[in-house]
Amino acid sequence: MEPRQSEKNNERQPEPQTRRPVIGITLGDYNGIGPEVILKALQHNRLQKICTPVIYGSMRVLNRYRNMLQQSGLSLKDWNLNGIQQVGQANPKFTNVITCWNDQGGNPGGDRQGQEVQPGKVTPEAGQAALACLQRATEDLKAGHLDAIVTAPINKNNIQTETFQFPGHTEYFAEAFGVKENLMFLVSDVLRVGVVTGHIPLGRIRSNITKEKVLQKLQLMYQSLRGDFGIRKPRIAVLGLNPHAGEEGLLGNEEQEILKPLIQELRNKGQLIYGPFASDGFFGTRAYRKYDAVLAMYHDQGLIPFKTIAFDEGVNFTAGMPVVRTSPDHGTAYDIAGKNLADETSMIQAIYVACDVSKYRKEMAEIELTSLNKKTPSGKISEQSA
């Protein structure tokens, strides 16, 4: 299930008049490029053809960025934001905004000093605001008011509090929804990459590369490709841990002792799992084009080539969750914040993927429910449905 878009303007054709998914979009750090890419992605209400967007942020902050963007030459004067108090008030024809903190004070605590938008600056108030948006959206997601959530970039340092002590969004949502294991899954039209180890120090990677851990991530990837992206028989490539995939044990034995036996075990069960491949040659020869997804052993091994190949349109998707969460694959980019230089393509794609996955999951759930209803209590197909 690939994001469908025109080559020229990222717009899709209008879909049949069914209920559009309600997509929550969190503001992220308001001194980064989050507000800018959100406004650019949603300008002129073009995405309302496929979803009802609800921004969890601040009307004051968004209007401030809107004015800055207009002064830089971006035309937004004929487009209005629709302020609401609750997600149930969202109008499917507009871009809706829920203000998540005291707008007059400028931050959750209401202190007026130092709370003005300062593009490119790292401030504790922006971190507090990002957390307030995230928590409010998560509450609505838990309550079933949202079909999916798209998170704009946060600063992983200034958001830290007693209630947020996580390396990033992925770990936050895992705890919020009681999920022990999940998969950081970077997806685009041309490449999908997941990682065995995510936000952990480099020195702890080897101890986390075990048969159980790799198998767990492969299963999550396999299930997501089938259940979220509609690929019935996924082809997955596994990268080696060591340079040149260990060179037959000369440069490390993890491939010989862990990866090769596991891959063969899964191949014997009929799964199309291949490798382990040397990462440099694998990406250098564009071998990734032959596979539906790639499992890297650690964060930079997977994310550096992914962002090199698909930075503008890449999307961070958290697989293995009972809810749908996506994010642009870039960070706060303080150096270009407020300058009308940020590219909104990744945010647009994150919204598309959130819509696609939420719709596909709902369709599959309805098909499964229909199938169960056709069966008798004994589990046999009824005569009427035979």
Side-chain angles (χ1 to χ4, degrees), residues 15-52:
E15 300 193 2
Q17 292 299 312
T18 57
R19 177 188 173 276
R20 297 171 188 151
V22 180
I23 307 297
I25 304 171
T26 60
L27 189 65
D29 189 309
Y30 59 62
N31 288 329
I33 63 171
E36 180 176 333
V37 295
I38 290 172
L39 288 171
K40 286 180 174 179
L42 298 177
Q43 63 180 310
H44 311 310
N45 297 319
R46 58 185 178 180
L47 281 171
Q48 276 71 355
K49 297 175 183 178
I50 65 166
C51 68
T52 300

Side-chain angles (χ1 to χ4, degrees), residues 346-364:
S346 185
M347 173 59 76
I348 293 173
Q349 291 299 326
I351 296 171
Y352 282 162
V353 173
C355 291
D356 281 346
V357 175
S358 64
K359 287 180 180 178
Y360 189 77
R361 285 189 180 185
K362 184 173 293 186
E363 289 171 2
M364 291 301 100

Side-chain angles (χ1 to χ4, degrees), residues 94-222:
F94 299 107
T95 295
N96 305 278
V97 180
I98 295 178
T99 294
C100 298
W101 71 87
N102 180 2
D103 244 357
Q104 300 306 311
N107 78 96
D111 181 6
R112 298 187 66 86
Q113 290 189 341
Q115 300 311 316
E116 290 303 314
V117 172
Q118 303 177 68
K121 299 291 183 65
V122 179
T123 66
E125 295 78 20
Q128 294 174 41
L131 180 56
C133 300
L134 186 59
Q135 290 174 329
R136 178 70 182 273
T138 301
E139 291 173 2
D140 285 343
L141 189 62
K142 284 184 175 181
H145 301 317
L146 299 174
D147 293 288
I149 191 169
V150 179
T151 56
I154 58 173
N155 181 313
K156 295 178 177 61
N157 290 316
N158 70 359
I159 197 173
Q160 298 294 323
T161 65
E162 291 184 0
T163 57
F164 189 101
Q165 298 180 11
F166 305 96
H169 280 116
T170 302
E171 295 80 4
Y172 167 82
F173 281 107
E175 178 166 298
F177 291 91
V179 175
K180 292 184 178 180
E181 293 296 335
N182 58 78
L183 176 71
M184 182 189 296
F185 206 5
L186 282 294
V187 301
S188 74
D189 283 346
V190 296
L191 176 63
R192 300 183 186 91
V193 173
V195 294
V196 176
T197 60
H199 295 129
I200 66 171
L202 193 61
R204 287 170 44 197
I205 289 174
R206 172 57 188 92
S207 62
N208 280 271
I209 303 299
T210 64
K211 176 183 177 180
E212 293 73 23
K213 190 78 169 179
V214 176
L215 175 60
Q216 196 172 60
K217 299 300 182 179
L218 277 171
Q219 290 175 332
L220 287 169
M221 178 176 283
Y222 187 85

